[in-house]
Structure formats: C-alpha cells, structure tokens
Amino acid sequence: MKNKFLLLTWLLAVPLLWGGCDKPLFKTDRGSIAQPDELPPITTTGEGTFACKINGVNWQRCGGNLKDSSLSGNWSPNYKIFQLSAFRDCEGFNDSVSISAYLDSLGRYDLHRGNYFNADLPCLDRWPSFYSLLDSADNWVEILNLDTKEFIVSGTFQCTLVHEECGDTIFITDGRFDYDWAN
C-alpha cells in the first residue's frame, strides 16, 4: 500500500513540476540564442582559442566534452600533420569544426581535411553525417606560430564545406586558433 501511495504521489507531482520549469524540455530555437558579438583576437601565445564565421555568423567553441575541454588537437613532427577540432556543446548547440593539414613550418598550406558536424542536421540519418571539404574551393590554413618546444600552434583558416546528401554548402571564413597541444 505504501508503494502505491508513493507511486501515485510521484505521478501527480511530476506534471506539476514540469509546468513550473522555465526551460523547455526540447531543443531551443537557435535564433533566440545570443551569439558572440566579436570573434576573439588573433593571438600566438597558446591562449586556447578557436573561432570562425560560418555563413557569416560568429561561431566560437564552448562546453566541454573532451576531458572538460572543447578543443582538441596536435601537430605530429614525424608525419608533419596538424589536426584541430573544436566543439560547441552549450546553450542549445551541438556542433563541431575540424581541420587538418600537412605542414612543417610557418606559412600557408592547403587543408588536407575539413569537417563540420551538426547534431541537429535535418538529414542526419544520411551518410556521411557531416560536411566535408569542397575540393574545388580555396581551402587553406596559415600557420602564424609553430613552437615545437612550447607545443603551441596558431593560425588562421578558411574553407568551403559541402554536404552532398543534404544538398547544402557552408562557408567558413575568418577562422583563427591559438592552441597549446600539451595542455
């Protein structure tokens, strides 16, 4: 009898609690979420920044799904490949930007790979479930600092990505990053 009473109380209380919530239970309308007014400045001291514009809208990493960070990457001296991924898992967003290039010093390089993943993509059930580089576009990364003793890589980038299955193209411009891959 006691268990039935607790169950009945719980079943009556839950709808009342839901009605008092200020936050919706489902996804937030992205148009109502504030975006950063400005991108962070271009720096070369390992500040941990990653930002860009996607189709003209400011995009900046946030949240923490990789060991309490939203930025992951490295530069391999043996293979001369640089990889960097930034995640935005906050305020109703769940997407990521990744870039990689073969490089060995300061300068401008063609991107080897670039991806954009959006968990809210309407055609997410199609493979691949991310945008990838449009080969005919001007996809590049410019390395402004590659400090192998302090493990810092900094630079700027731009790329055009396409999702052929969804029939959509996005333009990433004004990209900048300043990453300390040892921390």
Side-chain angles (χ1 to χ4, degrees):
M1 182 72 171
K2 185 178 178 182
N3 288 340
K4 288 181 183 178
F5 177 73
L6 288 174
L7 178 62
L8 181 60
T9 303
W10 175 252
L11 290 174
L12 292 173
V14 169
L16 293 173
L17 292 173
W18 278 338
C21 291
D22 290 336
K23 293 184 180 180
L25 294 175
F26 302 102
K27 294 180 184 174
T28 304
D29 174 24
R30 288 183 175 208
S32 67
I33 299 171
Q35 294 297 301
D37 292 332
E38 296 180 17
L39 296 176
I42 295 172
T43 57
T44 59
T45 55
E47 301 292 320
T49 57
F50 186 102
C52 60
K53 290 183 184 248
I54 297 181
N55 291 340
V57 177
N58 291 347
W59 189 99
Q60 193 167 326
R61 74 181 187 93
C62 61
N65 53 3
L66 292 174
K67 296 182 182 176
D68 298 325
S69 178
S70 58
L71 189 59
S72 173
N74 66 10
W75 178 73
S76 170
N78 294 335
Y79 300 105
K80 308 287 189 223
I81 191 164
F82 158 72
Q83 303 173 61
L84 192 59
S85 296
F87 302 88
R88 186 170 63 165
D89 189 11
C90 60
E91 299 177 358
F93 291 102
N94 187 2
D95 54 355
S96 64
V97 175
S98 301
I99 58 172
S100 68
Y102 293 105
L103 54 92
D104 58 5
S105 62
L106 303 182
R108 189 168 166 164
Y109 298 87
D110 290 335
L111 283 177
H112 167 69
R113 181 169 289 137
N115 293 316
Y116 173 72
F117 174 80
N118 184 341
D120 295 325
L121 193 61
C123 64
L124 188 62
D125 60 338
R126 302 209 175 118
W127 181 258
S129 60
F130 54 85
Y131 291 78
S132 56
L133 285 179
L134 178 62
D135 292 332
S136 62
D138 189 18
N139 305 310
W140 53 264
V141 60
E142 183 171 3
I143 302 302
L144 305 174
N145 182 19
L146 181 59
D147 187 334
T148 58
K149 291 185 176 141
E150 296 296 322
F151 306 106
I152 295 172
V153 61
S154 309
T156 59
F157 67 97
Q158 81 168 30
C159 56
T160 301
L161 305 172
V162 64
H163 193 299
E164 292 180 15
E165 292 296 318
C166 293
D168 194 20
T169 301
I170 62 171
F171 302 95
I172 296 180
T173 58
D174 298 321
R176 72 260 332 260
F177 58 89
D178 186 14
Y179 182 61
D180 178 346
W181 74 83
N183 291 322

